[in-house]
Amino acid sequence: MNDMSRVERQVDTNKIKLECRDCQVYYGETHAIKDVNVDIEDKTVTAFIGPSGCGKSTFLRCLNRMNDTIDVARVKGSFKLDGEDIYDKRVDPVQLRAKVGMVFQKPNPFPKSIYDNVAYGPRIHGLARNKAELDEIVEKSLRRGAIWNEVKDRLDAPGTGLSGGQQQRLCIARAVATEPEVLLMDEPCSALDPIATAQVEELIDELRSRYSVVIVTHSMQQAARVSQKTAFFHLGNLVEFGETGQIFTNPEDPRTESYITGRIG
Amino acid sequence: MPLLWLILIVVAIAAVGYVLGRARALQSAGGDSRGLHSLPTFYGANVALKTAVPAFGLLIVWLLVQPIFVNSQISGMIPDTEVEEGSSRSLVMAEVRRTAYGLENAVAQGNITEDAASNANADIAEVTQSLKDAGQIVTSEITQPILLAAQSYRVMNSGGYSVMSIAVILIALAGAVFSWRQTQSEYRARNVVEQGVRVLLLAAASIAILTTVGIVLSLVFNTWEFFKLYPASDFFFGTTWSPSFSGRGGSSSLGVLPLLWGTLYISIVALLVAVPIGLFAAIYLSEYASPRVRSFAKPMLEVLAGIPTIVYGLFALLTVGPLLLEVFGDDGLGWMKAGTAVMTAGLVMGVMLIPFVSSLSDDIINAVPQAMRDGSYGLGANQSETIRQVVLPAALPGIVGAVLLAASRAIGETMIVVMGAGAAARLSLNPFEAMTTVTAKIVSQLTGDADFASPEALVAFALGMTLFILTLGLNVFALYIVRKYREQYE
Amino acid sequence: MTDASMQENPEATPHPVSLTAPNERTRKRAKAERRFRAYGIAAVATGLFFLVVLFTSILSEGIPAFTRTVVSVEFTLTEQQREESEAELFKTKAYSNLFISALKTELDERGLNVEINEDAIERLLGKVGGTIRTFYSENPGKLGEPVEFDLAASSRVDGYFKGRVSRDTMQDSRFLEKSDLDLVDALKEAGVIKQAFNWPFITGADSGVDNPGGAGIGASVVGSFFMMLVVLGLSLPIGVAASIYLEEFAPQNRFTDLIEVNISNLAAVPSIVFGILGLAVFIQFMHLPQSAPLVGGLVLTLMTLPTIIISTRASLKAVPPSIRDAALGVGASKMQAVFHHVLPLAAPGILTGTIIGLAQALGETAPLLLIGMVGFVARGYPDGFLAGFTEPNSAMPAQIYTWASRADAAFYEKAWGGIIILLVFLLTMNIIAIILRRRFERRW
């Protein structure tokens, strides 16, 4: 593919966190992802855009092996996190997912208290040696999730009682609590109203200072607002990948242009 | 079987009515069915419905009301002197009915002539003897008033049934004629018939209510009788259960506590077996098992639920009991005296409840949204952590409901405890001792020789009442919890 | 490169440096995972283990009930012998002496010389003389011809063959003495005594308390059959009518709610309570005959109704509303739409539910105890079709319970055998239900 050369050019600015080569995904008989090559950079927001069913969510789920939980899905190709193949037989997906956290389309707080929701990850990974440390982690994560001020007085209230936007920020805080290095977000704002969306977008921008963030989104405006790099998927193919500004102002592939101008998708 | 004949006659009238009604409708439209408001069959059905429904309705009501009426009439005939000390009017009435049936059967068999049976001045000893000769069960002491009452009981009953037959047939005919004359081409037969069918459907649905009413009435009524003969406080708070075998009350202690304890103990043992196994099986089958394992193991476990309880009872009595006795009996650890014990019944009941717990929990675990699991996996939790810390807490209310339903099953289970738990009522903590339950005692009190009007038999209804309220309460509570749980995820 | 990230993150990264090298904690977590999984496997295995144990004990204990021990002797009775015997004072004794001498001759021919005395024969085979006498009085044409007699051995001898009775543990009693076993062994060597299929068990009626050998389950199968006729004849139409009303016509009001609540509660009422209802209402109040399949059927109908209503409603609900709309659209009335279109489409589901409900009713025992189907010993078949409903009879599960509660252990074998027959019926019904579902299942 001709975009390979451009990817090479970006390397000098930021370190490559996650390197994907010749990735294929099959759902039973369906070939859902075809020959995708992408490099996710550290401390960068990368957006995946494309019409529904183009495979962007599927590809995202490959990055922390969430597809393992689906029986019929098969993944091929090389995915290297800091140079290590995440599909290596010796890799425990559990460890991987602690490093590569995920936030889902629909806010899915556990039916527990706000505190327990955030403390869940640190507890299972054993990140805190005592209650005080755990409290600290919870507070820090909720602050990073930009929700601390709203919930600090009711940490014992159930997480399911929050509003949609608060729930999603809680889920982000929950994901942040395990100290991931990469944060995957699968259409995190699609179930939120515009105000909550703005809050989450602001949060994503702050998260960039610590993590490498990958976001799948339907909204091109959102991709333009929050991301530095953009990948356009179409029918399971990666059509174009590059600087967000360039993709939106000067796309190389006619399909990208059609999508951005609203003719397909 | 005159009742059968009566039914057949009504059906025949209805059938004839159907044919005639249909014919008349066609005729009124000049043989062209397009001139009718409804299809010709509706006119026939109209006649048939109006013939059969009132007739059968009357029949049913009559059959229900007549015994009550006759009983109260006859009961009034018996002088108070006839009701002995320690006995009751209902006991005497039972005597009267038995004598009446004895007379009826004896006449039918030809042992007594009709005249002798209805002769008011008949010699009592002679009648008693001839009844006994005819193989009818009568107590030795038929008295003059009882015989008189029995004779008028017979007369009133048979007279009542004759009147009933005539009335039913007349109603059927009247319905047929009336609806036949209604039949004209403009008559809206379809609407009428459909309205009628709708009422019939409603009646069928109401049978559920009737059944409940029947259960409650038969329990309340007989429990009331029981508490008239035996003090309620002794029943509820008595700690000994030793009915006398004379069947006439007096020396019986009928305390429910030992039975409740036995019931509870056996149910706890059963749940201790069924809940962990059933729950873990459900977890494994719904979260871990490959589709192939699941499609094999799930129906296999459900076979356990389809096996009748009599099989489990026999299994307890003849397989598990002796097996436990070998290990814990005098030859082994010396804890157990006989094969029938709390442990035997509890274990087997637990096996029976495994599929019940597992399939209910399976449904409930599957109702936990996948997003919840994804959230946990996304944080790097492995499967067991996800199940223990996310899925199970989320499913907890539903699982509690399932366990309560299983508990209600265990409390109401009869055959396993009748055959496996023993017959001795005791308040003990040793699970290897024989104990007995509410259900087992209902069976033994009602299948023994005790008179139905004695406290020894009536106590079974009080026990039934206790059981009914207990299980009903558990069920309502459990269903409420499960429904609340379902709503949470819908 | 980890160094770089460390410098930027003030906190030390908690994750292991390499994904492929699991740390202590992950190893422990993986172990907990395996343990948890093992619990699950153990639970499923335990459940299946119980199933296997249950079926092995049913089969191993029950199959012997289908064979019986018979002594088959070829025997010829001449006209003259018969007349002589009939002239005697103890006629059956004379016949039995003839039989013994015939048996002796047969054994002698084979070179076996054993002492046969009359008492021993009676202990082994019961009243042989009576059997022979009845046979010839019914078949006088067989006189003078050789006739093969298959005489059922007593239940103790049967037990000796099946291992229930052994030489070491048995004690001499009026039923069997140790010395008789020598005779049995000799007869076995001669091939006179053998195992045969136990037809009387399948076709026969219950015997008395002291004759386990002659007990059969046939009469109670008939009793169960009549009960099931009642259940089917009442619960199917009532159940379907009730379901149609609730699913298609019922308005949203208190009364409908009351019906719904009642149905779901009745489904969970213990079966024994239905027995109490049957006793109080059908027997005490309406004076229907005790122990009659009619009453049993009525009680079981009330018990099965909730099951049938619940499954019928599910199948009615599965028919998509578009079908109803289509019928209503061409001007059918609501009633016609339901009876012409919805009901036929739901029929396979309704049938499946009904069969499963019937299977449940067939195995139910507790309510039958209370309406007197257990106390009654069914000694024969009912006299006719109608009598089948009203004449006292037993039912399969009640018969099994009766056998299991008798003192003589020989009846236990019959009880297990009865269970095999009961399970065969249940299995057949369930298989029919599964086939129906497979064949007619429709996915909308």
Side-chain angles (χ1 to χ4, degrees):
Chain A
M1 281 203 177
N2 61 354
D3 54 32
M4 280 298 289
S5 54
R6 211 172 332 101
V7 173
E8 301 290 328
R9 263 193 291 121
Q10 304 296 334
V11 177
D12 47 35
T13 50
N14 255 329
K15 181 169 68 75
I16 292 173
K17 188 73 188 167
L18 193 51
E19 181 190 73
C20 312
R21 290 286 173 274
D22 299 327
C23 305
Q24 323 280 343
V25 180
Y26 302 86
Y27 274 117
E29 298 296 306
T30 324
H31 195 169
I33 294 286
K34 299 162 197 158
D35 302 320
V36 170
N37 297 289
V38 169
D39 288 329
I40 311 288
E41 291 171 17
D42 205 5
K43 314 229 182 308
T44 308
V45 177
T46 308
F48 291 175
I49 60 169
S52 305
C54 66
K56 53 195 191 306
S57 286
T58 304
F59 185 70
L60 188 77
R61 290 169 71 92
C62 293
L63 301 183
N64 72 341
R65 294 184 58 175
M66 279 301 280
N67 284 330
D68 288 16
T69 59
I70 301 166
D71 288 333
V72 291
R74 279 178 299 128
V75 178
K76 281 184 187 162
S78 111
F79 296 79
K80 288 209 163 101
L81 179 67
D82 290 335
E84 275 183 313
D85 188 358
I86 63 173
Y87 279 87
D88 189 300
K89 265 203 218 79
R90 289 166 300 169
V91 169
D92 188 351
V94 163
Q95 252 173 300
L96 169 70
R97 287 179 203 145
K99 267 187 164 177
V100 183
M102 189 157 190
V103 174
F104 297 84
Q105 184 169 3
K106 231 180 106 201
N108 54 353
F110 302 133
K112 299 170 175 243
S113 70
I114 293 170
Y115 183 93
D116 285 339
N117 260 288
V118 181
Y120 178 74
R123 274 196 185 124
I124 56 174
H125 295 294
L127 301 187
R129 271 163 302 188
N130 52 44
K131 179 81 171 83
E133 273 187 29
L134 190 60
D135 288 348
E136 200 182 309
I137 293 176
V138 169
E139 181 179 341
K140 191 177 69 192
S141 311
L142 285 170
R143 279 187 196 283
R144 285 192 192 158
I147 192 179
W148 172 251
N149 289 330
E150 289 155 73
V151 299
K152 64 179 176 216
D153 302 325
R154 44 169 176 156
L155 290 176
D156 290 333
T160 42
L162 299 172
S163 74
Q166 287 174 324
Q167 284 191 8
Q168 193 61 303
R169 278 179 286 147
L170 175 65
C171 290
I172 292 172
R174 189 176 69 186
V176 166
T178 59
E179 295 289 342
E181 292 162 19
V182 180
L183 201 53
L184 308 178
M185 297 186 159
D186 189 356
E187 300 185 32
C189 300
S190 67
L192 304 182
D193 61 47
I195 295 172
T197 303
Q199 284 166 332
V200 171
E201 282 179 7
E202 203 176 316
L203 173 60
I204 292 171
D205 202 48
E206 284 167 27
L207 293 172
R208 181 162 68 97
S209 62
R210 296 179 173 278
Y211 314 101
S212 153
V213 178
V214 185
I215 176 169
V216 164
T217 176
H218 253 111
S219 144
M220 280 169 290
Q221 290 88 335
Q222 185 172 58
R225 282 195 299 266
V226 300
S227 72
Q228 288 76 51
K229 305 281 286 237
T230 298
F232 172 60
F233 285 78
H234 188 243
L235 299 176
N237 294 303
L238 177 66
V239 176
E240 197 165 346
F241 179 48
E243 293 282 346
T244 301
Q246 193 194 342
I247 293 254
F248 278 93
T249 52
N250 189 14
E252 289 187 358
D253 195 288
R255 285 172 293 178
T256 316
E257 194 183 353
S258 309
Y259 181 69
I260 288 167
T261 52
R263 263 176 284 157
I264 57 170
Chain B
M1 209 176 171
L3 193 61
L4 184 76
W5 281 112
L6 188 59
I7 293 170
L8 286 181
I9 288 171
V10 173
V11 170
I13 297 174
V16 172
Y18 178 89
V19 175
L20 291 182
R22 195 175 179 278
R24 184 176 159 102
L26 273 176
Q27 195 191 13
S28 73
D32 182 2
S33 63
R34 280 173 299 178
L36 293 169
H37 169 269
S38 316
L39 290 173
T41 47
F42 280 109
Y43 292 90
N46 176 39
V47 177
L49 269 180
K50 284 180 180 163
T51 308
V53 173
F56 284 134
L58 178 72
L59 181 68
I60 290 167
V61 171
W62 196 297
L63 283 176
L64 286 176
V65 170
Q66 180 175 316
I68 304 173
F69 177 74
V70 171
N71 259 357
S72 69
Q73 288 290 310
I74 301 292
S75 185
M77 277 175 62
I78 302 173
D80 281 337
T81 52
E82 202 55 37
V83 183
E84 288 166 30
E85 195 79 9
S87 177
S88 71
R89 194 162 281 274
S90 60
L91 273 175
V92 180
M93 275 309 294
E95 198 76 54
V96 169
R97 272 198 301 273
R98 226 182 352 255
T99 314
Y101 284 111
L103 284 170
E104 192 68 48
N105 289 335
V107 171
Q109 287 169 13
N111 286 53
I112 305 183
T113 58
E114 185 59 52
D115 288 344
S118 44
N119 182 1
N121 301 319
D123 181 38
I124 299 157
E126 203 174 288
V127 173
T128 312
Q129 194 50 47
S130 43
L131 281 179
K132 279 187 178 155
D133 290 346
Q136 298 302 323
I137 312 142
V138 275
T139 36
S140 49
E141 68 267 23
I142 294 185
T143 57
Q144 186 68 33
I146 288 186
L147 182 63
L148 275 177
Q151 285 170 340
S152 29
Y153 184 88
R154 265 192 76 207
V155 172
M156 285 177 82
N157 251 349
S158 61
Y161 287 130
S162 323
V163 176
M164 175 188 78
S165 307
I166 294 166
V168 166
I169 292 175
L170 281 181
I171 287 258
L173 284 174
V177 171
F178 170 73
S179 51
W180 181 73
R181 295 188 55 174
Q182 271 183 331
T183 307
Q184 286 160 6
S185 57
E186 302 91 58
Y187 185 67
R188 298 175 165 233
R190 188 177 53 86
N191 305 38
V192 174
V193 167
E194 289 189 347
Q195 199 56 42
V197 170
R198 218 180 137 135
V199 170
L200 287 181
L201 294 181
L202 173 65
S206 308
I207 284 188
I209 296 180
L210 273 185
T211 311
T212 312
V213 169
I215 288 176
V216 171
L217 279 188
S218 55
L219 286 175
V220 166
F221 197 70
N222 286 298
T223 307
W224 185 248
E225 289 286 310
F226 170 68
F227 285 142
K228 278 200 274 187
L229 298 173
Y230 191 89
S233 59
D234 287 7
F235 172 73
F236 285 117
F237 304 111
T239 53
T240 46
W241 174 271
S242 60
S244 76
F245 292 100
S246 71
R248 282 283 172 200
S251 58
S252 293
S253 311
L254 302 170
V256 75
L257 288 181
L259 306 186
L260 277 181
W261 169 241
T263 307
L264 209 68
Y265 202 176
I266 291 175
S267 306
I268 288 172
V269 173
L271 291 179
L272 284 180
V273 174
V275 171
I277 296 181
L279 192 57
F280 270 104
I283 289 172
Y284 183 78
L285 290 179
S286 63
E287 300 280 328
Y288 285 106
S290 66
R292 262 186 49 208
V293 172
R294 187 177 156 87
S295 68
F296 166 77
K298 206 169 142 64
M300 277 297 140
L301 281 183
E302 271 158 17
V303 167
L304 281 174
I307 291 175
T309 51
I310 176 83
V311 180
Y312 284 107
L314 204 65
F315 186 58
L317 178 70
L318 299 180
T319 309
V320 176
L323 210 69
L324 286 178
L325 194 61
E326 218 164 87
V327 181
F328 300 103
D330 286 337
D331 299 338
L333 294 165
W335 296 343
M336 207 171 173
K337 294 276 171 287
T340 52
V342 169
M343 209 60 190
T344 315
L347 268 181
V348 174
M349 205 189 278
V351 174
M352 180 190 85
L353 290 176
I354 288 173
F356 191 75
V357 174
S358 80
S359 62
L360 275 177
S361 317
D362 198 24
D363 289 350
I364 285 157
I365 289 173
N366 282 333
V368 174
Q370 183 61 30
M372 216 69 101
R373 294 185 183 84
D374 282 349
S376 177
Y377 293 142
L379 291 173
N382 60 28
Q383 235 169 329
S384 68
E385 287 158 350
T386 304
I387 294 164
R388 272 181 306 181
Q389 301 187 31
V390 176
V391 177
L392 287 187
L396 193 65
I399 290 172
V400 169
V403 171
L404 288 181
L405 283 180
S408 134
R409 270 280 183 97
I411 289 172
E413 173 49 44
T414 310
M415 294 320 293
I416 295 176
V417 290
V418 165
M419 297 170 87
R426 57 166 72 88
L427 282 163
S428 153
L429 279 173
N430 182 358
F432 293 101
E433 253 183 294
M435 280 184 215
T436 195
T437 67
V438 174
T439 49
K441 281 301 146 191
I442 293 177
V443 171
S444 69
Q445 294 313 108
L446 286 178
T447 50
D449 298 327
D451 193 307
F452 276 143
S454 71
E456 279 74 19
L458 285 174
V459 69
F461 293 98
L463 291 176
M465 191 82 189
T466 318
L467 181 69
F468 182 69
I469 291 174
L470 214 61
T471 51
L472 192 70
L474 269 177
N475 285 327
V476 170
F477 186 51
L479 287 178
Y480 169 78
I481 290 181
V482 171
R483 192 168 307 141
K484 272 267 155 268
Y485 167 76
R486 290 258 156 81
E487 279 165 6
Q488 186 188 334
Y489 292 120
E490 265 167 13
Chain C
M1 51 191 191
T2 25
D3 285 349
S5 63
M6 287 260 252
Q7 278 160 12
E8 284 177 45
N9 277 358
E11 316 87 10
T13 172
H15 302 299
V17 178
S18 166
L19 284 173
T20 50
N23 61 5
E24 190 53 32
R25 185 171 178 88
T26 353
R27 260 197 291 273
K28 247 165 77 185
R29 285 172 59 198
K31 229 163 117 186
E33 167 78 30
R34 278 195 296 276
R35 216 178 313 126
F36 191 75
R37 205 186 165 102
Y39 292 150
I41 295 178
V44 175
T46 317
L48 295 179
F49 168 75
F50 283 132
L51 185 70
V52 171
V53 171
L54 186 61
F55 273 92
T56 350
S57 66
I58 291 172
L59 289 179
S60 66
E61 308 268 345
I63 284 186
F66 292 91
T67 56
R68 59 173 187 160
T69 311
V70 292
V71 173
S72 72
V73 179
E74 200 177 84
F75 181 72
T76 317
L77 188 77
T78 60
E79 192 81 51
Q80 188 195 358
Q81 278 173 322
R82 185 184 180 204
E83 274 162 24
E84 278 169 13
S85 307
E86 287 294 325
E88 298 248 355
L89 182 59
F90 299 108
K91 300 185 179 67
T92 55
K93 192 173 159 145
Y95 282 103
S96 126
N97 283 335
L98 286 172
F99 173 80
I100 289 169
S101 58
L103 184 62
K104 226 179 169 100
T105 332
E106 192 162 335
L107 287 182
D108 282 345
E109 273 172 23
R110 304 190 193 198
L112 289 162
N113 201 355
V114 266
E115 186 72 19
I116 301 179
N117 77 44
E118 199 189 320
D119 294 340
I121 286 294
E122 193 175 322
R123 283 195 295 269
L124 256 50
L125 297 174
K127 311 259 186 218
V128 179
T131 320
I132 295 174
R133 184 169 174 233
T134 329
F135 175 80
Y136 283 108
S137 67
E138 280 167 9
N139 306 293
K142 296 277 186 189
L143 279 171
E145 291 171 30
V147 179
E148 175 104 7
F149 277 95
D150 278 345
L151 298 161
S154 78
S155 78
R156 302 282 164 123
V157 176
D158 194 42
Y160 175 63
F161 268 81
K162 290 171 184 167
R164 213 173 338 119
V165 177
S166 80
R167 239 172 224 276
D168 309 324
T169 55
M170 76 161 289
Q171 280 169 350
D172 285 354
S173 70
R174 71 187 169 89
F175 299 114
L176 194 64
E177 286 175 11
K178 275 204 169 118
S179 56
D180 300 339
L181 293 179
D182 298 332
L183 177 59
V184 171
D185 287 343
L187 288 173
K188 188 180 175 189
E189 211 172 305
V192 172
I193 199 163
K194 60 184 183 191
Q195 299 281 309
F197 189 75
N198 195 352
W199 277 114
F201 175 66
I202 305 230
T203 57
D206 192 12
S207 58
V209 201
D210 46 7
N211 178 18
I217 200 163
S220 58
V221 172
V222 174
S224 278
F225 171 74
F226 279 107
M227 267 186 356
M228 289 306 114
L229 279 188
V230 175
V231 176
L232 183 66
L234 290 176
S235 65
L236 183 58
I238 295 177
V240 171
S243 315
I244 289 178
Y245 178 76
L246 291 175
E247 208 51 53
E248 308 282 343
F249 295 103
Q252 277 288 336
N253 61 20
R254 287 252 176 117
F255 190 69
T256 310
D257 285 348
L258 185 69
I259 296 177
E260 304 244 9
V261 168
N262 267 300
I263 288 172
S264 61
N265 281 334
L266 280 179
V269 166
S271 58
I272 186 91
V273 172
F274 284 96
I276 295 182
L277 171 76
L279 177 69
V281 173
F282 295 130
I283 292 183
Q284 285 185 326
F285 183 69
M286 287 162 76
H287 300 296
L288 292 175
Q290 260 200 351
S291 317
L294 175 67
V295 180
L298 286 173
V299 172
L300 293 180
T301 300
L302 295 182
M303 230 187 72
T304 326
L305 261 181
T307 320
I308 292 188
I309 292 179
I310 289 168
S311 70
T312 304
R313 288 186 66 178
S315 1
L316 288 176
K317 216 177 270 172
V319 177
S322 60
I323 302 276
R324 294 173 185 83
D325 294 345
L328 296 178
V330 295
S333 68
K334 182 117 202 234
M335 198 67 79
Q336 286 169 323
V338 170
F339 280 91
H340 295 172
H341 299 283
V342 179
L343 200 55
L345 288 172
I350 295 173
L351 226 57
T352 312
T354 308
I355 293 173
I356 287 169
L358 276 186
Q360 238 175 49
L362 183 64
E364 192 55 60
T365 324
L368 303 185
L369 296 180
L370 295 193
I371 55 164
M373 292 198 96
V374 167
F376 182 76
V377 176
R379 286 200 184 273
Y381 287 86
D383 294 333
F385 186 73
L386 283 179
F389 292 108
T390 53
E391 261 184 22
N393 200 337
S394 193
M396 267 190 279
Q399 183 68 71
I400 293 167
Y401 175 72
T402 311
W403 283 335
S405 44
R406 282 188 185 156
D408 191 340
F411 277 114
Y412 295 165
E413 180 189 289
K414 302 286 172 190
W416 287 113
I419 277 181
I420 292 184
I421 295 197
L422 178 64
L423 288 182
V424 166
F425 276 105
L426 292 184
L427 196 69
T428 318
M429 290 167 91
N430 279 297
I431 287 175
I432 291 174
I434 290 170
I435 290 174
L436 269 178
R437 187 181 301 161
R438 287 262 164 87
R439 210 175 133 81
F440 295 105
E441 192 173 48
R442 211 187 282 250
R443 293 238 172 258
W444 301 97

